Amino acid sequence: MKDLNRITVVLVEKERTAKWFAEELGKNPVTLSKWRTNVSQSDLYTLNKIATLLDIDKREP
């Protein structure tokens, strides 16, 4: 089994949906799916937005 992606774990912990996440970031759900399945990664600017949006420390693995 693949390791769970941190974004996926945090969304579950915060009881948020992928749809909500995509809308809040203004991103295509396909892009977010790639991030959540570790196919690709966000840029650093978006990483900061994700950390703020989910209220997490971006340095935490």
Side-chain angles (χ1 to χ4, degrees):
M1 179 193 289
K2 285 185 173 181
D3 290 334
L4 288 177
N5 178 281
R6 181 73 178 133
I7 292 173
T8 301
V9 171
V10 173
L11 287 174
V12 170
E13 290 173 352
K14 304 258 182 196
E15 299 179 354
R16 297 293 187 172
T17 65
K19 181 180 178 188
W20 171 86
F21 188 55
E23 289 172 355
E24 290 295 313
L25 287 175
K27 298 288 184 181
N28 185 311
V30 173
T31 300
L32 299 179
S33 177
K34 289 179 181 180
W35 295 346
R36 295 178 62 217
T37 56
N38 296 317
V39 171
S40 67
Q41 295 180 352
S42 67
D43 58 52
L44 292 177
Y45 173 76
T46 305
L47 178 62
N48 285 326
K49 287 175 64 175
I50 291 168
T52 300
L53 181 63
L54 297 176
D55 192 29
I56 56 173
D57 184 346
K58 63 184 172 249
R59 297 170 293 175
E60 186 178 327

